[in-house]
Amino acid sequence: MDNKNKDFTICCSTDRGLCHRAVGRQDKQLNTYDWLADVPGNADSTDLVEVQFKHTRKGYYHNVNKLDLKKGDIVAVEANPGHDIGVVTLTGRLVKLQIKKANLKSADDIRRIYRIARSTDMDKYLEAKSREHATMIQSRQIAKDLGLQMKIGDVEYQGDCNKAIFYYIADERVDFRQLIKVLADTFHVRIEMKQIGARQEAGRIGGTGPCGRELCCATWMKNFVSVSTNAARFQDISLNPQKLAGMCAKLKCCLNYEVDDYVEASRRLPSREVILQTQDADYHLFKSDILAGLVTYSTDKNIAANLETISAERAKDIIEMNRRGEKPLSLQKDGEAQETKKHVDLLAGGDISRFDKAKKKKKKKNNNPGKPRPEGAQRPQHPKKPRRQQPNAQEQN
């Protein structure tokens, strides 16, 4: 068992698979934290098991043979045709919730687990994985020769080498019927084409985002939700395509992380169309700080003029006063001055040169002989150079 897990750990370390025994919470892309693992009888509550394969592919199977399976065990499961090799990622009651989340309605989608993988199964599996890169390079050339506007991003062989899944990216619909025939004749396996999007391709390649961390799609994200520019508008983010686009050239998935909080906080702010009336002038909404609950008004609708910053509660009070026909003297409360929050710069008194190495101070030479020396100072004594001897007259002749 130890050698078998060791071999699979080496194999799956290159494709972000689960580490040995899969002990991390969310350190892997498809690793679901089993918070019911310590509950007595959790593993015996159901025979359903979640098994992970390469990248974002995983399936659900029945443990009909009553095997003592734990998270991280390598198993041989039923496939069409033959069998496949995967690693157990989840057991117990949470598997039912995962099946409901995956929207598996047909019982035929849930197959059986044959056995715990043997050494012969692992040898066949490693042989299949060793063929994937060369197959991908050759299949790209075949697709190019056929003139297909598509890119084959990855190839996944089944554990018994009887089937190969080709993951491809295409902007338009591609007729790959001829491609399947050529690939089947070339590699002598059953061919399955599976289209993926730009986000899945970025997650497969991986990389570092502008936040300095590894891409979310390459670490923990499993399902991709559509991202629209409204998420940026709700958060008052500049609609700059270069800053809003991620590594996949699509809108960043992280724009959806905090948009719900901004939408909830924006409901507490006054409407942009409402004009605040005072005895001096009318004020139009210029900008708003959603999370801080502050709104800034201007006397001009188009430009910033006589800006006044007040709280959202004060703005609603003035709106209620205007409805009753009353106009306050100013936007600020009576007897209160305008409060402006100043941002504190923690590095205002810092010197950037503090990171530099200390330079050795060199002694300054007195290059100005006319400058008077201080009392008690002695003239530096320099070593005398040997005088050059003049040649004799006979030697010159």
Side-chain angles (χ1 to χ4, degrees):
M1 179 67 69
D2 294 337
N3 295 333
K4 176 175 55 179
N5 287 334
K6 181 179 179 181
D7 294 339
F8 192 80
T9 303
I10 297 174
C11 177
C12 67
S13 62
T14 58
D15 61 353
R16 301 185 186 88
L18 289 174
C19 57
H20 181 59
R21 283 295 173 191
V23 294
R25 285 196 177 192
Q26 290 291 346
D27 58 340
K28 302 300 176 184
Q29 191 169 3
L30 299 182
N31 190 7
T32 303
Y33 177 62
D34 189 2
W35 51 277
L36 295 176
D38 298 335
V39 177
N42 176 55
D44 301 332
S45 61
T46 178
D47 65 340
L48 293 173
V49 178
E50 183 186 79
V51 179
Q52 174 187 332
F53 303 96
K54 188 177 181 181
H55 298 320
T56 58
R57 188 172 71 92
K58 61 182 179 180
Y60 301 93
Y61 300 88
H62 285 293
N63 186 9
V64 294
N65 297 325
K66 304 299 181 180
L67 301 174
D68 185 16
L69 299 179
K70 297 180 181 179
K71 195 173 184 180
D73 290 340
I74 309 159
V75 293
V77 299
E78 180 184 1
N80 186 19
H83 70 274
D84 203 352
I85 302 297
V87 57
V88 176
T89 56
L90 196 62
T91 59
R93 303 174 187 175
L94 288 185
V95 182
K96 295 182 178 180
L97 300 179
Q98 292 293 99
I99 292 177
K100 185 177 180 180
K101 184 178 180 181
N103 197 19
L104 297 179
K105 300 179 180 179
S106 176
D108 298 335
D109 296 335
I110 304 177
R111 298 174 178 172
R112 300 174 298 168
I113 294 179
Y114 288 146
R115 60 186 178 275
I116 295 179
R118 298 190 291 259
S119 59
T120 55
D121 297 330
M122 293 305 301
D123 294 340
K124 194 73 173 177
Y125 174 82
L126 295 177
E127 179 186 353
K129 292 302 174 183
S130 63
R131 298 171 54 185
E132 290 180 350
H133 183 71
T135 302
M136 180 186 65
I137 300 301
Q138 190 174 356
S139 61
R140 287 181 179 179
Q141 185 62 37
I142 295 175
K144 183 179 180 181
D145 296 339
L146 295 176
L148 300 178
Q149 298 298 324
M150 59 183 295
K151 175 190 174 183
I152 298 178
D154 195 11
V155 177
E156 178 184 0
Y157 270 92
Q158 197 169 271
D160 56 358
C161 295
N162 291 330
K163 180 181 174 181
I165 303 176
F166 291 80
Y167 298 91
Y168 71 95
I169 305 172
D171 297 333
E172 300 177 356
R173 186 174 180 179
V174 179
D175 185 7
F176 45 77
R177 289 177 293 182
Q178 183 63 26
L179 176 63
I180 293 178
K181 295 179 181 179
V182 177
L183 293 178
D185 295 338
T186 304
F187 303 110
H188 305 287
V189 293
R190 184 175 179 179
I191 305 299
E192 179 182 348
M193 304 298 297
K194 191 171 183 179
Q195 185 175 5
I196 60 176
R199 301 180 189 275
Q200 289 85 348
E201 175 69 6
R204 188 191 66 83
I205 297 175
T208 304
C211 58
R213 299 175 63 91
E214 193 176 358
L215 297 179
C216 297
C217 55
T219 51
W220 60 270
M221 288 190 68
K222 312 182 201 56
N223 301 321
F224 297 93
V225 183
S226 61
V227 185
S228 63
T229 55
N230 291 331
R233 292 191 178 97
F234 282 126
Q235 302 175 62
D236 288 337
I237 301 177
S238 176
L239 299 180
N240 187 350
Q242 296 180 353
K243 293 184 178 181
L244 296 182
M247 303 294 290
C248 58
K250 303 289 184 180
L251 292 177
K252 295 178 181 178
C253 296
C254 55
L255 292 175
N256 286 342
Y257 293 170
E258 299 178 356
V259 65
D260 294 337
D261 294 336
Y262 277 88
V263 171
E264 184 67 24
S266 63
R267 296 175 182 174
R268 298 190 291 266
L269 300 181
S271 175
R272 183 175 292 273
E273 305 298 331
V274 178
I275 301 175
L276 303 186
Q277 297 178 353
T278 62
Q279 297 182 5
D280 297 334
D282 295 343
Y283 288 87
H284 304 268
L285 183 62
F286 181 72
K287 66 177 182 178
S288 58
D289 191 342
I290 299 177
L291 298 182
L294 300 177
V295 286
T296 302
Y297 284 88
S298 171
T299 55
D300 194 289
K301 187 176 182 180
N302 300 321
I303 62 176
N306 302 322
L307 297 179
E308 294 282 347
T309 302
I310 58 177
S311 63
E313 291 77 9
R314 174 59 179 171
K316 291 182 179 180
D317 294 341
I318 296 176
I319 293 174
E320 189 63 26
M321 294 174 62
N322 294 153
R323 289 178 180 176
R324 297 195 303 263
E326 301 176 2
K327 295 183 179 180
L329 295 177
S330 63
L331 294 184
Q332 305 296 331
K333 291 184 180 180
D334 297 338
E336 293 184 2
Q338 180 180 0
E339 296 181 0
T340 58
K341 294 184 178 180
K342 296 182 179 180
H343 297 281
V344 179
D345 189 2
L346 300 179
L347 298 178
D351 187 8
I352 196 172
S353 62
R354 67 184 185 275
F355 299 106
D356 300 336
K357 295 181 179 179
K359 298 181 179 179
K360 295 181 180 180
K361 296 182 179 180
K362 297 181 179 180
K363 295 182 179 180
K364 295 183 179 180
K365 297 181 180 181
N366 188 9
N367 297 328
N368 191 359
K371 186 176 180 180
R373 296 180 179 274
E375 297 181 358
Q378 298 180 358
R379 183 183 297 275
Q381 298 180 359
H382 300 284
K384 296 182 179 180
K385 297 181 180 180
R387 182 176 296 178
R388 184 179 179 182
Q389 299 179 358
Q390 297 294 336
N392 296 331
Q394 297 179 358
E395 294 178 358
Q396 292 180 358
N397 295 331

